């Protein structure tokens, strides 16, 4: 018998939803800040080779959660089939990613990290967050014109393993191997690049 | 690079590799009596007629209805899209591919829900998954979907919402209770009636 | 010197440890709620609420606001808003424990604070637009999406990092 997700099986009632949301948020914020994600100079270091914290944290988190969820599903603790799979809209994912990539290299934050920067009093984080609001506001104007991109290439709630026709477990292994190789390369690059103090 | 990192990398790769080592087919094993008892006590196997009607109207491909009554009764009346597998034939090899699968939700129904429930127990014990029973069977189906009862004037709006959904569903399934609006223009293509039922809100909305 | 006065401003967690903790948090989030974490959802709710309060006629005419207005009667009462309040509190806690909390503009030595603020705003605007197009940002789409092996999550992830790497050369004057 599955027990998770807890709210899905009504083990935790919906009144607790917001309490849980705050608790998860606290843990999320704490981990990001403690990993140095409130500093834009540390974040963009990944693109200039002087600090690879972003890639290391991101890929480790990704692998741990992929493998962990598969194990939990295997032991019957969590019903994998009801978990939310982010839907794939090919064009919007690609195009949105490009715009966000530009925003990242120019602004030096992403939304989650800018909230961390706001919390510890970084003025540039405040400004970035205000920019974020403005960006969402601008999007509401251009929304009618980007419908084709927004709704184009709809592939539903598809998983990448399904797309390549392999099992989830095999994909997890391939991804882990790739990540370990990337981690190794980052240490090699780190040695060659001039260290930046910030 | 320190030894610690090499060790951690090996640990990570090992746990990912471990996933592949698991035997994949667990479904062959028969369900143990304790698990069966737990599942029998779990009322989640009963699906409401409204829920089933809703999914049929939406054309949900993940729903598979099995009529466990006799062929004679099946031919007399059956829910559109259902397949007839009489109860005594359920465990025959020819139906194995239908019942022992993971992609669809199988719903058993009979006139009441006693025979359907027996069918559910037989198939659950042989290890099949995603099995359900239509609550109340065809009797309930007729009472709620085909001939819905008009709510009283003092009833809350939810009851009215449910009623209007059922009325629409009744037309969709060709029930007799409703006055079907006649099409004036004979040449006009027959419009498919779209019935929308309000979905329950999920806990977390929005993507990021 | 007391331990809280010790200069820990530049000591962050080991990134692999941070990643491991973040991974565990994601698993816990999926275990409890069946969904991942997010960060832009709350900003979206805030924008929608503000626009509806300030210019209700505009809001009801625009398809973007209509889409959310119909779905959710009160966008501020959203799961992600509460989560964001948590992020603020958690980040403040971590920053306070390491003595990192103070008002300042962090800027690379070759960039004036004013210029830093301008490019931060520009980056924020781009990120705001991009996150709405892609239905999520780095946390919601890329991180939570990839935990569940979502194809879109991986595409967004590689699209963000790929673009940033491609353009890193042109914007190097801003950072090093």
């Amino acid at each position: 018998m599955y027990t998770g997700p807890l709210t899905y099986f009504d083990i935790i009632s919906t009144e607790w939803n917001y309490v849980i949301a705050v608790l998860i948020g606290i843990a999320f914020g704490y981990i990001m800040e403690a990993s140095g994600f409130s500093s834009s100079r540390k974040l963009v270091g990944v693109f200039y080779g002087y600090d690879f914290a972003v890639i290391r944290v991101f890929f480790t988190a990704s692998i741990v959660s992929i493998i962990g969820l598969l194990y939990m599903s295997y032991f019957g603790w969590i019903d994998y089939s009801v978990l939310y799979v982010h839907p794939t809209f090919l064009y919007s994912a690609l195009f949105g990613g490009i715009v966000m990539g530009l925003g990242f290299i120019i602004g030096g934050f992403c939304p989650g990290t800018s909230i961390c920067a706001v919390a510890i009093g970084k003025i540039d984080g405040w400004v970035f967050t205000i920019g974020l609001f403005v960006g969402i506001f601008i999007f509401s104007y251009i929304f009618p014109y980007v419908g084709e991109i927004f709704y184009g290439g709809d592939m539903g709630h598809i998983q990448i393993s399904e797309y390549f026709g392999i099992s989830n477990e095999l994909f997890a292994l391939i991804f882990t191997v790739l990540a370990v190789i990337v981690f190794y390369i980052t240490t090699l690059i780190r040695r060659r690049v001039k260290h930046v103090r910030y | 690079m320190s030894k610690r990192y090499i060790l951690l990398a090996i640990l990570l790769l090992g746990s990912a590799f471990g996933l592949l080592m698991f035997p994949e087919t667990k479904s062959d094993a028969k369900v143990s009596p304790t698990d069966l008892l737990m599942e029998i006590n779990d009322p989640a196997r009963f699906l409401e007629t409204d829920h089933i009607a809703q999914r049929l109207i939406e054309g949900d491909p993940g729903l598979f209805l099995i009529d466990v009554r006799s062929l004679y009764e099946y031919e007399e009346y059956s829910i559109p899209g259902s397949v007839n597998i009489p109860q005594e034939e359920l465990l025959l090899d020819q139906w194995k591919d239908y019942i022992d699968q993971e992609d669809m939700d199988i719903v058993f129904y009979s006139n009441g829900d006693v025979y359907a429930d027996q069918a559910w127990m037989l198939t659950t014990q042989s290890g099949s998954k995603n099995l359900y029973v239509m609550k109340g069977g065809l009797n309930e189906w007729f009472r709620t979907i085909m001939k819905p009862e008009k709510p009283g004037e003092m009833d809350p709006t939810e009851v009215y919402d449910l009623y209007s959904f059922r009325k629409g569903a009744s037309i969709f399934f060709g029930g007799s209770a409703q006055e079907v609006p006649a099409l004036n223009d004979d040449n006009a293509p027959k419009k498919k009636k779209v019935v929308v039922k309000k979905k329950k809100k999920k806990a977390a909305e929005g993507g990021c | 010197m007391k331990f809280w006065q010790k200069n820990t401003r530049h000591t962050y967690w080991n990134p692999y440890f941070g990643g491991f903790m973040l991974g565990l948090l994601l698993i816990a989030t999926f275990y409890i709620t069946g969904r991942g974490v997010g960060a832009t959802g709350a900003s979206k709710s805030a924008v929608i609420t503000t626009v509806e309060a300030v210019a209700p006629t505009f809001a009801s005419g625009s398809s973007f606001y209509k889409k959310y207005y119909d779905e959710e009667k009160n966008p501020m009462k959203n799961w992600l808003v509460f989560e964001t309040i948590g992020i603020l509190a958690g980040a403040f806690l971590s920053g306070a424990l390491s003595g990192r909390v103070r008002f300042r503009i962090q800027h690379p030595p070759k960039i004036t604070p004013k210029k830093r603020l301008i490019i931060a705003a520009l980056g924020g605007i781009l990120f705001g637009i991009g996150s709405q197009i892609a239905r999520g940002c780095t946390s919601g789409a890329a991180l939570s999406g990839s935990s569940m092996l979502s194809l879109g999550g991986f595409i967004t992830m590689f699209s963000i990092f790929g673009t940033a790497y491609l353009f890193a050369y042109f914007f190097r004057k801003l950072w090093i």
Side-chain angles (χ1 to χ4, degrees), chain B residues 93-109:
Chain B
D93 272 351
Q94 54 174 321
W95 306 121
K96 205 172 168 16
D97 289 348
Y98 281 97
I99 293 162
D100 200 13
Q101 46 82 48
E102 304 223 314
D103 302 329
M104 291 194 282
D105 293 339
I106 293 177
V107 181
F108 295 114
Y109 72 87

Side-chain angles (χ1 to χ4, degrees), chain C residues 15 21 29 56 59 61 64 67-68 75 92 95 97 101 106 110-111 117 137-138 143-144 150 153 163:
Chain C
M21 295 306 284
T29 311
F64 175 76
K67 187 162 156 255
Y68 295 102
F92 181 79
L97 288 175
V101 178
Q106 189 188 29
K110 287 179 193 164
I111 298 284
L117 291 186
C137 63
T138 6
L143 190 59
S144 303
S150 152
T163 312

Side-chain angles (χ1 to χ4, degrees), chain C residues 40-173:
Chain C
T40 11
S43 318
K44 186 167 75 188
S45 301
V47 169
I48 291 165
T49 312
T50 316
V51 170
E52 272 168 10
V54 176
T57 42
F58 172 74
S60 59
S62 160
S63 54
F64 175 76
Y65 297 106
K66 223 169 140 46
K67 187 162 156 255
Y68 295 102
Y69 192 74
D70 293 345
E71 279 170 17
E72 187 83 45
K73 274 274 136 46
N74 186 356
M76 274 310 251
K77 261 187 102 179
N78 198 309
W79 197 88
L80 289 162
V81 176
F82 283 86
E83 195 218 41
T84 306
I85 294 167
I87 296 179
L88 279 170
F92 181 79
L93 194 67
S94 162
L97 288 175
S98 314
R100 281 192 285 265
V101 178
R102 65 196 169 104
F103 284 104
R104 68 180 183 125
I105 301 168
Q106 189 188 29
H107 60 96
K110 287 179 193 164
I111 298 284
T112 59
K114 198 178 159 199
K115 198 172 171 195
R116 168 72 192 125
L117 291 186
I118 293 168
I119 61 166
L122 195 63
I125 291 170
L126 282 171
F127 228 116
I129 298 172
S131 69
Q132 291 312 300
I133 297 173
R135 297 174 171 75
C137 63
T138 6
S139 346
L143 190 59
S144 303
S146 68
S147 319
M148 274 308 290
L149 301 173
S150 152
L151 178 64
F154 276 96
I155 293 173
T156 310
M157 184 204 292
F158 286 112
S159 182
I160 292 174
F161 284 107
T163 312
Y165 268 110
L166 272 180
F167 286 93
Y169 179 79
F170 303 105
F171 295 108
R172 67 189 182 285
K173 294 256 167 61

Side-chain angles (χ1 to χ4, degrees), chain B residues 13-169:
Chain B
L13 288 169
S15 53
F17 198 70
L19 283 171
L20 285 176
M21 293 292 100
F22 286 141
E24 243 182 79
T25 45
K26 290 196 298 178
S27 55
D28 277 10
K30 281 216 168 191
V31 175
S32 74
T34 41
D35 281 358
L36 188 64
L37 191 67
M38 262 177 80
E39 292 207 18
I40 287 172
N41 288 328
D42 183 8
R45 70 173 179 278
F46 288 107
L47 294 184
E48 300 280 343
T49 47
D50 292 316
H51 172 86
I52 293 168
Q54 168 74 9
R55 286 176 66 175
L56 282 173
I57 291 164
E58 284 171 355
D60 185 348
L63 186 70
F64 189 61
L65 284 169
I66 295 181
D67 188 335
V68 297
R69 299 171 306 157
S70 66
L71 183 63
Y72 173 75
E73 284 173 297
Y74 173 76
E75 281 174 347
E76 199 88 329
Y77 175 81
S78 66
I79 296 174
S82 60
V83 169
N84 178 232
I85 305 179
Q87 198 196 27
E88 54 273 19
E89 291 181 22
L90 264 176
L91 297 179
L92 294 184
D93 272 351
Q94 54 174 321
W95 306 121
K96 205 172 168 16
D97 289 348
Y98 281 97
I99 293 162
D100 200 13
Q101 46 82 48
E102 304 223 314
D103 302 329
M104 291 194 282
D105 293 339
I106 293 177
V107 181
F108 295 114
Y109 72 87
S110 51
N111 284 331
D113 51 21
V114 178
Y115 288 112
D117 207 23
Q118 287 174 358
W120 177 87
M121 216 174 303
L122 279 171
T123 44
T124 302
Q125 202 177 16
S126 55
S128 300
K129 292 272 183 303
N130 305 336
L131 302 171
Y132 300 92
V133 175
M134 187 162 96
K135 196 176 179 185
L138 280 176
N139 290 333
E140 182 76 4
W141 175 263
F142 271 95
R143 197 183 67 75
T144 54
I145 305 297
M146 303 306 278
K147 292 172 181 162
E149 203 177 315
K150 201 170 186 293
E153 290 199 345
M154 299 303 285
D155 281 332
T157 45
E158 292 93 67
V159 179
Y160 269 92
D161 282 352
L162 185 64
Y163 173 68
S164 63
F165 163 72
R166 285 175 171 175
K167 219 166 79 175

Side-chain angles (χ1 to χ4, degrees), chain B residues 4-5 8 201-208, chain C residues 14 16 35 39-41 71 80 136-137 140:
Chain B
R4 250 183 344 168
Y5 284 139
L8 284 172
K201 264 170 207 143
K202 288 252 171 76
E205 301 242 348
C208 181
Chain C
N14 180 309
Y16 298 114
R35 280 166 172 261
T40 11
E71 279 170 17
L80 289 162
C137 63

